[in-house]
Amino acid sequence: DLLPGTITQWELVDVQGVPLPSSTADHWDQIWGFQARPDDVLICTYPKAGTTWIQEILDMIQQDRDTQKCSRAPIYQRIPFLELCRPPLYTYCFKEAEAMSSPRILKIHLPIQLVPPSFWEQDCKVIYVARNPKDTAVSYYYFQQMNHGLPDPGNWDQYLETFLAGKVPWGSWFDHVRAWWDARDKHRILYLFYEDIKKDPRGEIRKMGQFLGRELPESVLEEIVQHTSFENMRENPMANYSTVPSFIMDQAVSPFMRKGMVGDWTTHFTVAQSERFDDEWTRRLEGSNLHFRTRL
Ligand code: A3P
């Protein structure tokens, strides 16, 4: 069992140029060989893009908005996180996913070139969600502080450089969002933005339903919007990670459901930092028609 004192910080290991948790690297052959099924739905995000939010939305769609069924287990067991197989486990990974009955919803944070090939062979549907890098960086900074399995982020000034250099778990935000964007027409990928879901949750959830082959009536959409609002998810023990022991995720340091907004970065970035970030952003996404909103 997982006991206080057994949690050690992840060492990041280079897997084909991407810094990943050492446990992911240790299981890489099994992860790469994961057998997808044609009706699997894959959620993919760079960390802190709102993964948990999408997970809850998709579970609500799949469970026909039955909130009882969506309370059957914590979100990290309802939807396995394929490549996070750090023993001793608190989240479910590819091992538990193999034993799950279909239809399955699965989660990864992998950059596109590291997606197990059978997802493409089976032509699985993938929902990718991206969030603007400034809010992502702030959210990741707090998450690395509260999650004792993650590398200590240092102070904010230092962290910003680490983030821009892509020396964080799952690597460069820029490479991640861009490569997924470039692939969106080559596979069955629905590419969504956190900011759009914040602005129009009903419209974006309708889109997710349509992508999954379900026309959701207005009343159903409304129930899903309510159940998956930030305020409701913050109070939902099956969604807010409060079931993870505090020696792993210390929510007194920073709650998992922290702010849930667009534009919190403005209270963290100095003007100089924002400009530095914008320069890097322009350079790294040059030639791409991928655009982000940093305010609503
Ligand atoms: P903040 O730290 O900015 O608050 P992930 O699930 O990928 O780890 O992302 C976590 C981020 O998504 C956190 O951002 C969290 O608050 C936010 N989030 C979670 N549920 C949300 C919801 N229902 N609505 C809006 N944001 C949500």
Side-chain angles (χ1 to χ4, degrees):
D1 270 5
L2 186 52
L3 298 167
T6 60
I7 181 93
T8 47
Q9 285 195 356
W10 285 346
E11 196 193 325
L12 297 181
V13 174
D14 187 306
V15 177
Q16 296 171 42
V18 182
L20 295 177
S22 56
S23 62
T24 302
D26 292 345
H27 292 90
W28 188 250
D29 289 348
Q30 286 161 287
I31 296 164
W32 184 252
F34 182 79
Q35 285 305 304
R37 303 175 195 155
D39 57 356
D40 285 340
V41 174
L42 188 62
I43 300 175
C44 185
T45 55
Y46 185 82
K48 309 322 286 176
T51 328
T52 316
W53 190 12
I54 309 308
Q55 286 177 266
E56 192 68 27
I57 292 171
L58 293 196
D59 198 33
M60 275 290 274
I61 295 175
Q62 193 174 73
Q63 302 299 329
D64 273 326
R65 75 192 195 281
D66 184 331
T67 52
Q68 290 292 97
K69 285 190 188 157
C70 289
S71 300
R72 67 194 181 283
I75 192 72
Y76 50 82
Q77 294 181 351
R78 284 181 273 149
I79 298 177
F81 180 3
L82 286 191
E83 75 268 26
L84 190 68
C85 29
R86 182 178 196 280
L89 288 174
Y90 62 97
T91 58
Y92 281 5
C93 70
F94 68 87
K95 291 176 193 161
E96 289 80 10
E98 282 166 0
M100 263 173 96
S101 56
S102 290
R104 303 180 295 190
I105 305 176
L106 305 166
K107 159 188 165 181
I108 58 172
H109 281 323
L110 295 168
I112 195 156
Q113 72 276 15
L114 296 184
V115 174
S118 86
F119 283 101
W120 308 129
E121 288 155 18
Q122 300 294 335
D123 199 22
C124 296
K125 290 182 183 172
V126 182
I127 298 190
Y128 185 85
V129 183
R131 185 181 192 184
N132 83 71
K134 290 179 175 174
D135 282 326
T136 300
V138 172
S139 184
Y140 215 171
Y141 172 64
Y142 284 101
F143 190 60
Q144 288 194 215
Q145 284 181 16
M146 66 83 86
N147 187 334
H148 294 310
L150 292 176
D152 184 287
N155 68 34
W156 171 242
D157 296 353
Q158 293 163 338
Y159 186 71
L160 214 55
E161 293 308 317
T162 314
F163 182 88
L164 286 175
K167 291 185 176 155
V168 292
W170 286 277
S172 158
W173 176 90
F174 300 98
D175 294 348
H176 206 283
V177 297
R178 187 173 183 153
W180 274 97
W181 178 254
D182 290 343
R184 73 196 183 287
D185 295 330
K186 298 190 191 106
H187 303 287
R188 292 206 286 176
I189 298 172
L190 179 68
Y191 197 109
L192 300 174
F193 296 90
Y194 179 97
E195 294 76 20
D196 292 346
I197 311 170
K198 234 4 235 190
K199 185 149 201 246
D200 177 18
R202 185 188 288 243
E204 295 301 295
I205 294 171
R206 182 185 295 115
K207 238 190 242 176
M208 293 181 221
Q210 284 167 345
F211 181 68
L212 301 180
R214 298 198 192 204
E215 252 346 295
L216 304 171
E218 287 303 311
S219 59
V220 172
L221 280 172
E222 190 49 38
E223 283 177 51
I224 300 178
V225 169
Q226 288 307 323
H227 177 80
T228 61
S229 72
F230 178 72
E231 291 69 24
N232 282 335
M233 282 186 60
R234 188 176 52 195
E235 303 308 320
N236 178 355
M238 292 298 126
N240 65 14
Y241 280 82
S242 58
T243 45
V244 174
S246 60
F247 60 87
I248 303 174
M249 284 191 185
D250 190 347
Q251 306 224 18
V253 171
S254 177
F256 185 90
M257 296 289 168
R258 196 183 58 88
K259 289 273 176 78
M261 59 183 278
V262 179
D264 185 44
W265 66 271
T266 54
T267 60
H268 292 79
F269 281 69
T270 63
V271 172
Q273 285 173 338
S274 179
E275 285 170 356
R276 155 111 180 80
F277 212 89
D278 291 343
D279 286 348
E280 189 72 14
W281 178 350
T282 311
R283 197 174 65 75
R284 300 294 298 273
L285 294 189
E286 199 185 349
S288 163
N289 58 350
L290 175 57
H291 297 293
F292 287 88
R293 283 190 285 186
T294 54
R295 299 167 206 262
L296 282 189

